[in-house]
Every structure is written in C-alpha cells, then in structure tokens.
Amino acid sequence: MKLFSSVHDVPDIAALVKEALHLKQFPYAYKDLGENKTMALVFLNPSLRTRMSTQKAALNLGMNVMVLNMDKEGWALELRDNVIMNGNTVEHIREAAAVMGQYADIIGVRSFPGLKDRKEDYSEMIFNKFVQFCGVPVVSLESATRHPLQSLADLVTIEELKTRSKPKVVLTWAPHIKPLPQAVPNSFAEWMCRADVDFTITHPKGYELCSDFTQGAKITNNQDEALADADFIYVKNWSAYEPYGKILPGNEDWMLTNEKLKITNNAKIMHCLPVRRNLELSDEILDGESSIVVHEAANRVWAAQAVLKRMLESLS
Ligand code: SN0
C-alpha cells in the first residue's frame, strides 16, 4: 500500500480489519518491520487521538517517529501556484513536502477543510499536493473530506463488539455550535456502505451529505425511525454541504438521550471524539453503560498499525 487516503485504497477491507484485530492481540509481532524507517506526522490542525495512536502504532512496528505541528511550529505554507509570495506565507508546499520526503519513509498528513470553498475542499487540494510533491507513501490523518484511519478503527470496533452477523449501524447527526467538517461522516458512510452491516443515516433536513459517499445507505430525516432496533449508533455533527459549511437554525433536540435509546437493540454509542458534552452527547450517555467511545479510541492504534504495516511491506 503506497497511499491510504480513503476506502478506495483498500482492496480487501475485511482482511485489513482482521489484520488490525490480530495486531491488537500481538502488538509487537512485527516490531522489527520498521527498523531504520522513519514516520513523519505532519499536522496542519490540532489532534489528540490521531497523533498519539499513529505514533504508538509506528513505535510498535519499530519505526522512528517525528511529529511536526505545522500550524504552531512550522512556516506558513503557500499552497497556490504562480503567486508572488510577498504576503504572510513563507514557504511553498512544493519545497516543504519535497524536503519532508527526504527525511521520512512514510508521511502522515492532517489538513482540515476551510469550509468556505466547496470545490477546493472536495478536490483535496492540500492533501493531494503533499502526495504529489513528497515522493513517499502518504497516510491521511484526516483530510478535507475524509478520515479513513478513524473509519477503519470504527469498523474494527463494530466487528469486535457486534452481537449479530449483520448489525444495524446508524449514523446520526448531532447539534454543535461551530461548523464542523463533513470528513468524519463522509468517511464513515463510505466505509459502512462497503462493510457487511445494515447502514442507515439520519439527519435533519438540509444536512444531506455529498451523495458520492452515501451510495447504498438508507437515509431518513426521522431519527426515531432510524434508531429503532439499532445495534450501533455513531453520533457526529457536521455542517451543511449545501449551503456549504453552514449551520442551519434549530435541531437542538437531535442530541441523544437514554430515553431515545429505548427503541434500539441495546445500542452501543460511538463518537470519534472530541465530543462536546451536553451539546453533541449527554453526560448520561457518555458516562453510562452504552458508550464505547474510549474503546473505539483505543482501537485507533490497531487500525493505524495495520495500515502502516502494509505500507512498510510495500517499501522497497
Ligand atoms: C474535527 C471534525 O472533523 O469534526 C475532528 C474530529 C476527529 N472535530 C472538531 O474540529 C471539533 C472542534 C470543536 O470545537 O468541537
């Protein structure tokens, strides 16, 4: 594997999930695979789980790891071509990515969408420029439109905890005060649509995701109907795709409560974190029996380790 940017880079999803669960059992089985190989983790936006779990995954494989928080420590990057750089940007992505590729064998990149220009965000301009100019394999640590390491960990978690062969999985929109990216729900949807699950998306009118990511999903604006008989409920806020990056008024009643869970099949509650308590998810759910958010976050290590293992195996 030379690129991990979406589910489309994975020829056999079930095999990758199996690999992750195997690594969970035997974390150090490949501790020499990454000997003398260096991983660079480059963040253009904040991170807790992605940074620590991917670093841990690389260390478990015997790699050296360098972390660069570009947003806080790096030079301001210029992304546009053919511009006179007489403003605030100091270094062009062409040189920056090319230089990083000289120091690292694998690069991980996080870059959130601007949520202003849909065409630019959905073209994955920043992520693709890193891929184009760094010259080494690249792992997405969440890009403008996707968060594939998160989605893989989510699928690993569902596979591990399911109590019936084809569980009902529901992605439900939750309220927030800030416009958030569509990356996590887009990515979750495109992985679930290819997994052996019964998948439903529910959101208020106006929060339709881009249909490229939701082919094959059931979609409803009726949250109760979606939650009925659910085995896993994936809670996430996202801003509107149209009008792009906007928050629509109302919908505060979309926050999950224990009352709403009564109609589910004893559903387990998932969230990629960070979660804003009592806005996106209630205390009673996060502190209760049904929440598996910490377990889900723990699985980020094994998802990342499975991907990095595949990448190391493909390095010549
Ligand atoms: C990011 C998102 O894509 O929704 C990262 C999730 C892994 N979340 C946020 O930016 C939350 C910011 C906030 O203020 O709550």
Side-chain angles (χ1 to χ4, degrees):
M1 196 188 286
K2 300 274 188 203
L3 176 68
F4 184 73
S5 64
S6 82
V7 73
H8 306 293
D9 299 316
V10 182
D12 184 344
I13 302 170
L16 194 60
V17 169
K18 212 171 146 196
E19 175 113 61
L21 286 170
H22 178 78
L23 289 163
K24 183 168 185 169
Q25 255 189 301
F26 305 102
Y28 306 112
Y30 301 89
K31 64 179 172 37
D32 299 327
L33 186 66
E35 191 183 13
N36 299 332
K37 299 284 187 239
T38 300
M39 168 114 219
L41 298 172
V42 182
F43 290 92
L44 279 67
N45 303 95
S47 172
L48 187 159
R49 277 147 295 275
T50 301
R51 174 183 164 156
M52 296 183 79
S53 63
T54 313
Q55 179 158 4
K56 180 161 172 168
L59 293 172
N60 287 353
L61 292 165
M63 301 185 82
N64 301 309
V65 184
M66 299 188 295
V67 179
L68 179 58
N69 296 309
M70 282 295 279
D71 51 339
K72 300 175 191 78
E73 303 157 1
W75 298 113
L77 273 191
E78 179 57 58
L79 303 162
R80 299 161 303 165
D81 281 328
N82 305 313
V83 289
I84 300 170
M85 287 170 52
N86 59 358
N88 292 329
T89 59
V90 177
E91 176 158 33
H92 203 281
I93 192 165
R94 285 177 177 260
E95 285 79 46
V99 169
M100 288 176 195
Q102 302 297 308
Y103 304 149
D105 300 284
I106 301 175
I107 296 181
V109 180
R110 162 162 290 192
S111 76
F112 286 174
L115 292 178
K116 300 260 178 310
D117 180 339
R118 185 166 87 184
K119 208 165 147 229
E120 184 176 301
D121 288 345
Y122 274 70
S123 75
E124 290 289 4
M125 200 252 289
I126 301 179
F127 183 81
N128 287 337
K129 288 199 170 176
F130 267 98
V131 173
Q132 186 183 353
F133 300 122
C134 77
V136 296
V138 179
V139 182
S140 165
L141 304 176
E142 186 172 348
S143 67
T145 67
R146 291 180 171 99
H147 195 355
L149 283 178
Q150 178 69 50
S151 310
L152 174 57
D154 296 334
L155 185 53
V156 166
T157 306
I158 289 168
E159 198 54 44
E160 200 185 13
L161 301 180
K162 70 183 183 185
T163 53
R164 50 177 159 174
S165 63
K166 200 176 168 92
K168 179 171 179 182
V169 178
V170 179
L171 166 62
T172 182
W173 183 92
H176 206 286
I177 45 143
K178 257 171 60 181
L180 295 193
Q182 293 114 30
V184 170
N186 280 345
S187 196
F188 185 73
E190 79 177 349
W191 282 74
M192 289 304 129
C193 287
R194 282 163 188 76
D196 193 18
V197 300
D198 173 8
F199 182 50
T200 301
I201 303 172
T202 185
H203 55 70
K205 278 200 175 66
Y207 283 103
E208 291 72 24
L209 293 165
C210 170
S211 60
D212 293 354
F213 299 86
T214 60
Q215 295 299 315
K218 286 174 217 136
I219 303 174
T220 172
N221 299 134
N222 183 332
Q223 192 185 37
D224 281 339
E225 181 191 304
L227 297 183
D229 204 34
D231 296 288
F232 294 92
I233 303 173
Y234 199 88
V235 179
K236 184 72 185 89
N237 169 268
W238 62 88
S239 61
Y241 181 68
E242 174 67 58
Y244 187 61
K246 294 285 181 274
I247 297 183
L248 312 173
N251 308 311
E252 291 80 8
D253 57 338
W254 274 71
M255 188 180 78
L256 275 195
T257 55
N258 278 339
E259 185 61 31
K260 289 192 191 185
L261 296 187
K262 286 185 177 157
I263 54 169
T264 70
N265 183 29
N266 200 13
K268 297 178 174 61
I269 309 304
M270 304 176 72
H271 190 288
C272 64
L273 305 180
V275 65
R276 293 195 183 219
R277 280 177 174 248
N278 304 314
L279 177 68
E280 290 180 270
L281 256 179
S282 55
D283 280 340
E284 62 174 8
I285 289 196
L286 283 165
D287 298 329
E289 292 285 291
S290 55
S291 170
I292 55 167
V293 299
V294 174
H295 186 108
E296 178 186 358
N299 280 338
R300 294 290 308 276
V301 175
W302 319 115
Q305 199 170 330
V307 169
L308 295 181
K309 175 177 176 280
R310 295 275 170 99
M311 285 201 160
L312 285 169
E313 286 164 348
S314 74
L315 291 180
S316 45

